[in-house]
Amino acid sequence: MTQTRTSTTAQEWISHDPDPDTAAELSACSEDELDERFARSLTFGTAGLRGPLRGGPNGMNLAVVLRASWAVAKVLKDRGLEGRDIIVGRDARHGSDEFALATAEVFAAQGFPTTLMFTAVPTPVVAFAVRHGGAVAGIMITASHNPPNYNGYKVYFEGGFPIVGPSDREIEQAMAEAPHADEIPRHSVTPSGVDQVQRYVDRASHVRHTHGSVRIALTPLHGVGGEFALDAFVRAGFSDVHVVEEQFAPDPDFPTVEFPNPEEPGATDAVLKLAADVEADVAIALDPDADRCAIGVPTPDGWRMLSGDETGWLLGDYLLSQIEAGPVKDVTVVANSIVSSRMLAAITAEHGARHVETLTGFKWLARADLDLPGCTLVYAYEEAIGHCVDPAGVRDKDGISAAVLFCDMLAALQRRGHTVLDALDDLARRHGVHATQQVSRRVDDFDEAAAVMSRLRDTPPDRLAGFEVTATDLQHNSGDSRTDALILTGGDDEKWVRVVTRPSGTEPKVKSYIEVRCGVDGDLSAAREQAYALRDQVASVVEQL
C-alpha cells in the first residue's frame, strides 16, 4: 500500500483499534475501500449515530463507540455535570451487548455513576429512565428498523430529550479530539435497572382512558418489544393477545422479513394473517426497538395497515376528546412534523387546542411546547409510525404506550358500535379527505442524495397534476427552522396538493411526502376517489423528479 494521507490515517486507526476483527478487516481493505471508509466520520442525524457494522470512523464498531462515549462524557463534564447518573441501554442487534458494555465502562471511568440495563430493552425505556430517574444523560445502542448489518448510538440528555444542536456538534467535535480508542479508560460496571424497567411498563399500561378489552394480534418483528408489550397489555386489561410465534423472540438476523420495518411491503404479512385467523380486532407490529408502532385493521376487503398519518389523526382526535373545553384545552399542545399530514392541525383547531409543526424527527417534536410558556404537549406524531402519546412519561416516540392507547380507543369505539373505518370516515367528513403517500428513491450514498436535492432546487416543477405550485426552500430559513427540505404547494381551501422532499437522515434515500386534500360535499366516496386519483398523479410525477 502506498503511503497516501488516507492510508497513513488508516494505519494509525488500525494500530489502535481495540477490536482485532475490525482491525483485520481494515487491514485487508483495498486503498479505494479505505478511502471510502475514512472519507468522513459518522455524524448525528435525526436519531443519533447510525451506520453499518464495519471498521473505520464511518461505521459502527467498538472504536467508534468508545470515542463517542468519551466525547459525550467530555461535553457533560465541560458543562459541570460530572458525577451525575448515566443510563445505558441496548437492543438485541449484532454488537449491541459489546457496545453497551463499553459505553457504560467509559462513563464509569470518567466519574459518572452508570446504570447498564440488565437486559435488552426498548428504546423508550431508556428515554423514560433518564426523564424519571434524575439522570443527566442516556445512551441507547440501537439501529431501530435498519437492516441487520446496522447499529447505532442514540443520546438523550437531561429530561429524556433526544439531543439537538449545538450538543450534537459539540459531541462530534469532541470525537475528533478523542484519544486513540485503545487508550480510553474503562471501568467495570454491574448490570442493573430492573426498577426502571418495571416503572416504564407500569406507566405505559396506564395511558388508558376507558375500560373494556379487544382481541390483539401482535408481532415485535424479532425485536425486543415482545415481552414488554405483553406485560403492558395485561396490566392495562388487555389479556386476549395472540403473537406471531416465529417473530416473537429477539433475533438480530430478522430471518422472516426482508427489512425489519413495519412500513416495508411484506413486513406485516404474518401479523395480518394471524389477525385474520384469530378474528382479532386489531393487528399491531412494533419495530425492533419498539419505539414505533404500526396498526392493522379489518375492512370489508380484508385486513390492511393504517398509514402513520391515519393513526396520528385517530390518536390525536381521541386524546383531545378526553380534555374538556376551557382553560386547560386552551394551553394543550399537539404536534406533528413538516412531513406529516395537515389534518392534525385541522383536528386541533376544531378542539380549540394549539397545534405546532416542527422539523423532521422526534428530537424536535419532543420539544414542541418548550417555547410556549404555560402550555403542555399531550401528543406528537410523525408519519413514519412514530407516536408520543404520553409526553409526561416519555419525551420521544414510544410504540408500546401507543399500542396500548390505540387499543383503548378501539374499545371506546366498539362500545359505541363504531369501527376504526367509521372513525376515519367521520374525520374525513369533518376535515376533508387527506390522501397521503411517501415516495422513496434509493441512491448509492449520501453524496448522491445531496446531488438529487441540488438538482430539484435548481429546477423545481411549476405544476403538479394540474396544480400550479410554488417552492419553499427550508434551507433559506434561519435557526431551528432551517433544514434540508423543499416544499411544493398549490391549490385553494377546498382542494390542494403538498409535496415535501428531503434526504433521509439515516439511510441513502431521497424521500418525498405527498398529500392531497379534497373537501367533502356530501359524497364521501366521490371525494375520496378524486383525492386518491390526484395523489397517484402527483406520485407519478414525483417519481420522475
Side-chain angles (χ1 to χ4, degrees), residues 40-44 49-52 57-60 64 151 172 175:
R40 59 175 58 87
S41 298
L42 290 183
T43 57
F44 283 88
L49 301 175
R50 195 173 290 181
N58 71 348
M60 276 297 297
V64 166
N151 215 322
E172 289 169 3
M175 287 178 68

Side-chain angles (χ1 to χ4, degrees), residues 158-193:
E158 197 162 8
F161 291 93
I163 61 167
V164 294
S167 296
D168 48 6
R169 303 287 85 88
E170 291 174 8
I171 296 169
E172 289 169 3
Q173 181 61 38
M175 287 178 68
E177 302 167 356
H180 295 303
D182 62 346
E183 297 172 355
I184 293 174
R186 299 165 67 172
H187 188 279
S188 62
V189 173
T190 301
S192 58

Side-chain angles (χ1 to χ4, degrees), residues 268-347:
T268 58
D269 286 356
V271 74
L272 291 178
K273 181 181 184 303
L274 173 66
D277 289 345
V278 301
E279 298 182 342
D281 298 303
V282 63
I284 295 173
L286 303 175
D287 73 340
D289 67 329
D291 67 346
R292 303 195 309 154
C293 168
I295 301 293
V297 297
T299 78
D301 300 318
W303 281 79
R304 77 166 178 93
M305 300 304 294
L306 299 180
S307 70
D309 283 317
E310 288 175 318
T311 303
W313 306 334
L314 291 164
L315 291 180
D317 187 58
Y318 181 61
L319 282 169
L320 288 170
S321 72
Q322 307 302 310
I323 304 171
E324 292 185 6
V328 173
K329 186 168 281 190
D330 291 343
V331 293
T332 293
V333 175
V334 297
N336 60 351
S337 65
I338 60 170
V339 300
S340 302
S341 169
R342 306 302 89 197
M343 189 192 277
L344 185 64
I347 291 169

Side-chain angles (χ1 to χ4, degrees), residues 121-464:
V121 297
T123 292
V125 170
V126 173
F128 174 86
V130 174
R131 185 168 182 83
H132 296 278
V136 71
I139 309 297
M140 179 67 188
I141 305 297
T142 181
S144 190
H145 55 281
N146 279 80
N149 63 323
Y150 272 65
N151 215 322
Y153 188 100
K154 186 169 186 177
V155 181
Y156 295 94
F157 272 3
E158 197 162 8
F161 291 93
I163 61 167
V164 294
S167 296
D168 48 6
R169 303 287 85 88
E170 291 174 8
I171 296 169
E172 289 169 3
Q173 181 61 38
M175 287 178 68
E177 302 167 356
H180 295 303
D182 62 346
E183 297 172 355
I184 293 174
R186 299 165 67 172
H187 188 279
S188 62
V189 173
T190 301
S192 58
V194 176
D195 289 345
Q196 290 100 321
V197 170
Q198 291 300 317
R199 288 174 60 202
Y200 162 78
V201 173
D202 188 63
R203 177 86 187 207
S205 72
H206 280 87
V207 298
R208 295 205 65 177
H209 294 268
T210 186
H211 302 286
S213 189
V214 296
R215 180 171 295 173
I216 301 165
L218 170 70
T219 179
L221 285 182
H222 301 291
V224 297
E227 293 290 350
F228 297 87
L230 279 182
D231 194 356
F233 279 137
V234 170
R235 295 190 193 195
F238 299 115
S239 57
D240 192 357
V241 185
H242 304 257
V243 303
V244 179
E245 295 290 349
E246 65 269 25
Q247 295 178 340
F248 192 75
D251 187 330
D253 293 319
F254 308 106
T256 69
V257 291
E258 186 172 354
F259 292 101
N261 180 350
E263 293 182 291
E264 292 286 343
T268 58
D269 286 356
V271 74
L272 291 178
K273 181 181 184 303
L274 173 66
D277 289 345
V278 301
E279 298 182 342
D281 298 303
V282 63
I284 295 173
L286 303 175
D287 73 340
D289 67 329
D291 67 346
R292 303 195 309 154
C293 168
I295 301 293
V297 297
T299 78
D301 300 318
W303 281 79
R304 77 166 178 93
M305 300 304 294
L306 299 180
S307 70
D309 283 317
E310 288 175 318
T311 303
W313 306 334
L314 291 164
L315 291 180
D317 187 58
Y318 181 61
L319 282 169
L320 288 170
S321 72
Q322 307 302 310
I323 304 171
E324 292 185 6
V328 173
K329 186 168 281 190
D330 291 343
V331 293
T332 293
V333 175
V334 297
N336 60 351
S337 65
I338 60 170
V339 300
S340 302
S341 169
R342 306 302 89 197
M343 189 192 277
L344 185 64
I347 291 169
T348 306
E350 180 187 39
H351 282 284
R354 303 186 64 166
H355 177 262
V356 173
E357 182 178 280
T358 75
L359 296 184
T360 305
F362 267 84
K363 64 184 183 182
W364 301 112
L365 286 165
R367 293 171 164 81
D369 60 343
L370 296 192
D371 293 330
L372 299 172
C375 294
T376 301
L377 180 69
V378 299
Y379 177 63
Y381 94 88
E382 194 156 62
E383 54 76 41
I385 58 172
H387 305 276
C388 175
V389 304
D390 179 23
V394 175
R395 280 280 172 152
D396 199 1
K397 55 188 177 295
D398 180 355
I400 294 175
S401 62
V404 172
L405 182 68
F406 193 93
C407 292
D408 180 61
M409 180 198 72
L410 182 55
L413 286 171
Q414 289 183 345
R415 194 164 58 248
R416 302 199 307 269
H418 293 171
T419 68
V420 168
L421 299 184
D422 293 333
L424 288 172
D425 286 349
D426 179 57
L427 289 173
R429 292 188 181 96
R430 286 153 52 191
H431 304 294
V433 174
H434 289 244
T436 63
Q437 182 176 339
Q438 182 191 132
V439 174
S440 291
R441 174 178 173 179
R442 287 192 176 272
V443 292
D444 290 337
D445 52 37
F446 291 101
D447 288 338
E448 185 179 351
V452 171
M453 291 299 301
S454 179
R455 185 173 67 251
L456 183 59
R457 286 189 167 93
D458 291 341
T459 56
D462 55 10
R463 298 187 72 84
L464 286 174

